[in-house]
Amino acid sequence: GVNLNITPSRHIAFSKMGMLSPTGECNTFDDGANGYVRGEGAAFILMKPLQKAIDDGDAIYGVIRGSAINHCGATYTLTYPSAEAQADVIIAAHNAADVPLQSVNYVEVHGTGTPKGDPIEIEGLMRAYSTLAEQQAIPVENIRCGLSAVKTNIGHAEAAAGIAGLLKVLMSFKHNTLAPLRKCQQLNHRIN
């Protein structure tokens, strides 16, 4: 994933649309969330079948058990994602991974730090977890899962955002610690 902010045109347009944080800080899940922060970055990972990595003696930081893709479809604006579409892709990825819901104890969220985008993302997660808990005959109240977002540390790397989040999780595995969710002092009042 690569994202470079070479020209000012998108920054100017996003600023005029009120999408960017006027303070230049990403406040994911915080009541002071006021927009996202553009970031730059480039990264890559080497993926190979697990047995091949083992046979080659590679350092293995994580194993991808399942994945899914979709598109949010029609929404009000770029900053108003679809909770239903987010739930659908989470359910599909989880079902592809075929793991018990209780074994998932952390989710690296998109977490842009927008006042309404973060609550919509939480709504999507809650819908997905409710559906998955029902599918697996687990009381949803018994499920605990930590959430965080790399964007509070590096901004939204846009085209490189996915790889940044994946690398954060892999390095968290390697170092047995999570980078902090910065600037989250008071939960966004729109998040239940």
Side-chain angles (χ1 to χ4, degrees), residues 4-83:
L4 300 173
N5 300 325
I6 297 172
T7 67
S9 57
R10 274 194 176 184
H11 195 84
I12 292 167
F14 292 168
S15 181
K16 285 181 179 178
M17 291 173 24
M19 294 169 51
L20 301 181
S21 168
T23 63
E25 294 181 332
C26 180
N27 301 307
T28 301
F29 302 142
D30 191 76
D31 208 39
N34 58 9
Y36 89 94
V37 177
R38 298 189 78 207
E40 294 183 305
F44 72 94
I45 58 171
L46 173 64
M47 296 188 337
K48 51 168 91 165
L50 179 58
Q51 191 56 55
K52 174 87 170 118
I54 292 168
D55 292 346
D56 292 347
D58 294 334
I60 300 169
Y61 297 106
V63 177
I64 297 174
R65 297 275 311 253
S67 65
I69 59 170
N70 76 352
H71 187 279
C72 273
T75 60
Y76 295 112
T77 71
L78 180 64
T79 61
Y80 279 67
S82 164

Side-chain angles (χ1 to χ4, degrees), residues 87-160:
D88 290 346
V89 76
I90 292 165
I91 292 165
H94 187 88
N95 287 335
D98 193 28
V99 295
L101 188 56
Q102 299 104 315
S103 71
V104 179
N105 57 22
Y106 175 77
V107 173
E108 177 68 19
V109 298
H110 191 56
T112 57
T114 59
K116 295 202 176 160
D118 290 348
I120 291 170
E121 184 171 8
I122 295 296
E123 181 185 341
L125 276 166
M126 296 298 290
R127 284 184 186 195
Y129 268 62
S130 292
T131 299
L132 290 165
E134 185 177 322
Q135 287 175 356
Q136 295 181 20
I138 303 164
V140 75
E141 309 80 47
N142 294 352
I143 299 168
R144 298 288 178 263
C145 184
L147 307 174
S148 191
V150 73
K151 288 173 185 67
T152 65
N153 301 95
I154 67 168
H156 189 336
E158 298 168 2

